[in-house]
Amino acid sequence: MIDRRRFLARGLSGGLALPLIGAATGVYAIGVEPNFILRIKRYSLTPPGWPASFRLRFAVISDIHAGEPFMGAARIRRIAEAANALDPDAILLLGDYNAGHFFVTRAVEPQQIGEAFSVLRAPLGCFAILGNHDWWHGPLLTSPSDGTVAIRRALRQAGIVVLENDAVALAKDGQRFWIVGLADQLIDAMAQIDANARKLGGDDLDGALAQVSDDAPAILLAHEPFVFSTVPDRVALTLCGHTHGGQVNLPLLGPVVGDLRFGPKHVYGHVAQDGRHMIISGGLGESVAPVRLLRPPEIVEIELGAPADEAALSPGL
């Protein structure tokens, strides 16, 4: 039998356990996972249309959402150096460089972002697209938009090729392939909430693919994954960001996705559908709030035509 004193002590300890667990989870989700963990998430695949003997490695950076104190220029530079350390053939940036939430103490200006990214190095070059936050506002959510003029200039000055409905042919070991960059699909922030809006973005998938002038395999860069349902078999692999992999992943409930209009079926990871392939990055920064839970910041490493190791965790970034 349990005496009254022991019964009360156990009840009290049990009542305190849940609040303590909740507080610890909050500290981890706000203070630790978003700021002190960087995962190298690795994928290996040979999609249809990709020559099995053609080995190619990409490092993918997405959704940095720059802003002090969480994503300062120094941290962006460390992320860039970590991407370099993967020794990729090309480095791909998938948009959303501007801050994504109001919990920012100081803006990180586009020029600072460009300077941080200027250390990026890859034999075949660095290529970028823009995201919705780069169009909707300036470095802060409260800053007026300049139509992406400053971030375009900063990226180009860093030696990064900015693609908007453009295609560029590259080659390694005599094998050609294409990088196709799509303009953002959610340029018009107000139209996003208008159910009758016919066009939200500047994306022109047909026009971009029309520039692919031969049968070499093509890689499509698209900030949002919404376009995937219309991507033709001609594209070997589609690479996306935007969703942050859900950003907050609740046990049993899964990822929390903030796009109420679209509610994408695919939030994170490698998606194979009807013979077509897409990889959605979990990104590096945050939107709505500086919180991540069970979806740490990540650089994506993609190896085509060869196996890759499992994902690894690296502290201190």
Side-chain angles (χ1 to χ4, degrees), residues 53-124:
S53 61
F54 182 27
R55 300 182 61 169
L56 197 67
R57 181 185 297 119
F58 297 112
V60 181
I61 294 172
S62 186
D63 299 274
I64 64 165
H65 289 297
E68 297 283 1
F70 309 103
M71 186 64 76
R75 185 181 178 197
I76 297 170
R77 181 178 290 265
R78 292 196 296 272
I79 289 168
E81 291 168 344
N84 287 344
L86 299 176
D87 194 25
D89 295 299
I91 297 175
L92 310 175
L93 287 73
L94 300 185
D96 269 8
Y97 311 99
N98 290 335
H101 54 75
F102 290 103
F103 300 89
V104 174
T105 58
R106 185 173 60 185
V108 176
E109 299 294 334
Q111 182 179 355
Q112 295 175 280
I113 296 172
E115 290 173 352
F117 278 145
S118 68
V119 301
L120 290 171
R121 296 289 183 271
L124 300 182

Side-chain angles (χ1 to χ4, degrees), residues 165-256:
N165 301 322
D166 299 312
V168 59
L170 302 172
K172 177 189 176 186
D173 300 332
Q175 173 70 57
R176 279 168 61 90
F177 69 99
W178 293 83
I179 297 291
V180 181
L182 200 63
D184 187 66
Q185 301 160 62
L186 295 177
I187 286 176
D188 190 338
M190 295 308 296
Q192 186 186 10
I193 61 175
D194 180 1
N196 296 316
R198 293 184 178 180
K199 186 67 173 176
L200 304 181
D203 52 301
D204 181 2
L205 180 59
D206 291 340
L209 291 177
Q211 301 170 46
V212 177
S213 58
D214 58 27
D215 60 356
I219 306 296
L220 175 66
L221 313 184
H223 179 67
E224 296 91 358
F226 312 134
V227 73
F228 185 58
S229 62
T230 63
V231 173
D233 296 342
R234 176 67 186 82
V235 174
L237 179 64
T238 300
L239 303 179
C240 301
H242 182 65
T243 67
H244 303 185
Q247 190 168 305
V248 173
N249 287 264
L250 301 177
L252 302 179
L253 298 179
V256 175

Side-chain angles (χ1 to χ4, degrees), residues 13-25:
S13 63
L16 290 174
L18 288 178
L20 289 174
I21 292 171
T25 301

